Amino acid sequence: MLLNKHTLDNGLKIVHLEDRQTQMVTVNVLYKVGSRNERENQTGFAHLFEHLMFGGTPNVPDYDRQIEMACGNNNAFTTTDYTNYYITLPSANAETAFWLESDRMTTLAFTPESLEVQRKVVMEEFKQNHITPPYADIHHIIQDLAYKVHPYRWPTIGLSLDHVANVQMDDVKDFFFRFYAPNNAILTVVGNITFDRVKELSEKWFGKVPMRDIDTTPIPQEPEQTEQRRAVVERKVPNDVLFMSFPIPCVSSKDFHCADMISDILSAGDSCRLYAHLVEEKHLFTTVDAYISPKVDNGQLFIFAMPTDGVTLEEAEDAIWEEIDELLNNGPEEEEMEMARNKFETNLMREWAQRQKLASSLAFHEMLGDAARAEKEVESYRSETREHFMEVCHNVLKREKASVLYYKAIKG
């Protein structure tokens, strides 16, 4: 990839990738603010603000209408570490995206009507996804078990429904001006547009947005876990569930790729260890999965398992530990390592075939230090050795670093 970069006087970082094989352009704006930047008594703000950004500005009351008129589409997502907005539209209409994103970076309408509408939307989302369905609170519980200090202990939706319900307009304005600014953002442009044109439009529309004093309050870092943590809850759900988590290195660590490969070797399809041994052979589980939660600070490796009828959670946990011990004692086969490498490369290429995902990926890597590191990801996975993998494995899959949740179904 031939990446171009530019930084405006107000601090806005720009990353550009030209693609002449399309007639479309994706304009992506990443703000370096996520739920990790929230206060403990005011969580869910980053996600609420994602919604508020579509509530209009003094200049553009109806944001989505302008996108539709330019024959484009747009969306956004919030993570623990950043918030991302994107617009994809015909290259001939690219200036519309620069205008709209710079306009709402400058200020929002901040109307009581917009706040109430978005507050209700987010509260309903909270109820539908984190309260009402079976197992809805499981990530709330495991994150609170796995983290004791770091704000990763609450999900992006928020720690409590009351936090969003009690948001006031002054809170909203304060959050905007502490984090939404050109000097806290990365603009990525991918598609059929030249670098000169990107610089021209960036200077024209974003160049006048003022710098702001960004909130640089230090994030409390999670101390190393030295003792196993356990919790048992009972809920009205169909089946018992075993949930385990282990701390893993941050995404910029040299050990992160190996931590990712651990989850793939354990559970990245029906032929992988956990499914093949515990579902197909021993019939101990109906469902079992392992996956990671990558973070700017230390993330987690999760193991989720639903035992079959008659199998206790204690027996289920023992079976998982047997598989972990087998991996620690004997290591992976080379074909398992290669499978994990191939899976990562295939998924990455499939993802990058979509301009929006490529644009947001470049922005994320620029946030980590350099957008160019995105292109080196496959090489990094390819170069991982069995020796390094085993070193990381022994550091991650320690019993004293595990957080174990027994999520029990209430009988009767």
Side-chain angles (χ1 to χ4, degrees):
M1 292 186 292
L2 181 59
L3 298 179
N4 302 297
K5 293 187 181 183
H6 181 63
T7 302
L8 300 185
D9 290 342
N10 58 13
L12 179 66
K13 293 184 177 181
I14 300 165
V15 179
H16 165 259
L17 176 64
E18 186 173 359
D19 180 3
R20 298 182 181 178
Q21 296 183 345
T22 178
Q23 294 303 312
M24 306 296 286
V25 167
T26 293
V27 176
N28 188 98
V29 180
L30 179 151
Y31 290 94
K32 292 183 278 186
V33 56
S35 56
R36 73 197 289 268
N37 302 103
E38 296 167 348
R39 296 160 179 160
E40 186 175 1
N41 62 343
Q42 290 183 323
T43 65
F45 271 47
H47 177 248
L48 172 64
F49 223 93
E50 173 204 320
H51 287 260
L52 287 171
M53 284 285 280
F54 293 92
T57 72
N59 297 320
V60 185
D62 191 341
Y63 175 90
D64 287 331
R65 176 58 179 159
Q66 302 300 323
I67 300 293
E68 292 170 4
M69 291 175 63
C71 303
N73 62 76
N74 70 99
N75 214 326
F77 59 88
T78 309
T79 75
T80 54
D81 298 305
Y82 64 96
T83 309
N84 196 84
Y85 302 85
Y86 59 90
I87 303 172
T88 298
L89 69 180
S91 56
N93 298 334
E95 187 166 4
T96 298
F98 285 80
W99 161 51
L100 291 173
E101 291 301 331
S102 64
D103 181 63
R104 64 179 181 173
M105 181 185 286
T106 304
T107 191
L108 300 182
F110 295 121
T111 64
E113 294 78 16
S114 175
L115 177 56
E116 283 309 305
V117 167
Q118 302 307 333
R119 186 206 309 273
K120 290 178 181 177
V121 169
V122 172
M123 289 177 65
E124 188 60 30
E125 182 180 341
F126 195 114
K127 294 173 185 176
Q128 289 184 358
N129 296 332
H130 299 272
I131 295 179
T132 306
Y135 312 105
D137 62 346
I138 199 165
H139 273 96
H140 275 77
I141 298 169
I142 196 69
Q143 285 177 228
D144 191 52
L145 193 63
Y147 295 101
K148 296 303 178 184
V149 175
H150 199 288
Y152 288 158
R153 65 188 180 86
W154 58 78
T156 54
I157 195 72
L159 185 62
S160 168
L161 190 61
D162 291 341
H163 289 181
V164 175
N166 295 328
V167 170
Q168 301 299 311
M169 185 61 73
D170 286 345
D171 299 324
V172 169
K173 292 181 179 179
D174 175 65
F175 193 84
F176 179 83
F177 290 108
R178 282 192 293 126
F179 295 111
Y180 277 73
N183 47 316
N184 200 43
I186 298 166
L187 172 67
T188 309
V189 184
V190 175
N192 194 342
I193 186 170
T194 66
F195 185 41
D196 286 342
R197 180 62 171 160
V198 167
K199 287 195 294 183
E200 175 191 347
L201 292 176
S202 299
E203 293 285 358
K204 176 181 178 180
W205 292 106
F206 287 96
K208 59 188 177 183
V209 183
M211 295 180 69
R212 297 189 178 109
D213 293 329
I214 304 303
D215 186 341
T216 56
T217 302
I219 305 297
Q221 295 301 295
E222 190 71 19
E224 183 175 357
Q225 184 174 336
T226 57
E227 293 182 350
Q228 190 174 112
R229 300 167 184 167
R230 308 183 70 87
V232 180
V233 300
E234 293 186 346
R235 299 286 190 270
K236 291 184 178 180
V237 293
N239 304 98
D240 292 347
V241 161
L242 171 68
F243 212 137
M244 304 169 68
S245 73
F246 301 84
I248 62 171
C250 63
V251 290
S252 57
S253 166
K254 63 181 179 62
D255 296 336
F256 172 76
H257 296 144
C258 284
D260 189 15
M261 294 175 80
I262 292 172
S263 68
D264 287 339
I265 287 172
L266 287 176
S267 178
D270 293 354
S271 64
C272 291
R273 292 181 176 225
L274 295 183
Y275 191 89
H277 297 166
L278 304 182
V279 177
E280 292 290 342
E281 294 177 15
K282 298 181 180 179
H283 308 292
L284 294 176
F285 298 106
T286 57
T287 300
V288 63
D289 193 15
Y291 57 95
I292 62 166
S293 176
K295 307 288 186 185
V296 168
D297 295 323
N298 290 352
Q300 294 286 320
L301 182 151
F302 296 113
I303 297 176
F304 172 92
M306 185 175 290
T308 55
D309 290 342
V311 176
T312 68
L313 286 169
E314 290 78 10
E315 291 169 335
E317 184 184 352
D318 287 343
I320 296 291
W321 282 118
E322 285 181 15
E323 292 297 324
I324 290 174
D325 289 341
E326 168 64 22
L327 180 60
L328 292 174
N329 292 333
N330 300 312
E333 301 291 337
E334 177 54 35
E335 64 182 36
E336 291 180 296
M337 295 283 290
E338 188 63 15
M339 176 275 298
R341 299 184 190 109
N342 290 341
K343 176 178 177 288
F344 175 80
E345 183 173 2
T346 299
N347 288 344
L348 188 67
M349 294 304 102
R350 185 183 296 119
E351 180 178 300
W352 283 3
Q354 303 175 56
R355 281 178 301 277
Q356 179 274 312
K357 291 189 176 181
L358 175 57
S360 62
S361 178
L362 292 174
F364 175 68
H365 285 285
E366 183 66 19
M367 182 183 73
L368 295 179
D370 184 5
R373 74 189 296 277
E375 197 172 17
K376 300 174 183 176
E377 288 286 86
V378 171
E379 178 186 339
S380 296
Y381 272 79
R382 289 285 172 201
S383 64
E384 288 296 353
T385 64
R386 190 176 188 276
E387 291 71 26
H388 187 214
F389 175 86
M390 290 304 298
E391 177 187 335
V392 175
C393 224
H394 279 281
N395 188 48
V396 169
L397 297 175
K398 291 182 177 180
R399 290 184 182 243
E400 64 267 26
K401 290 188 175 182
S403 296
V404 183
L405 171 64
Y406 283 11
Y407 199 99
K408 292 187 173 183
I410 297 175
K411 305 301 181 182

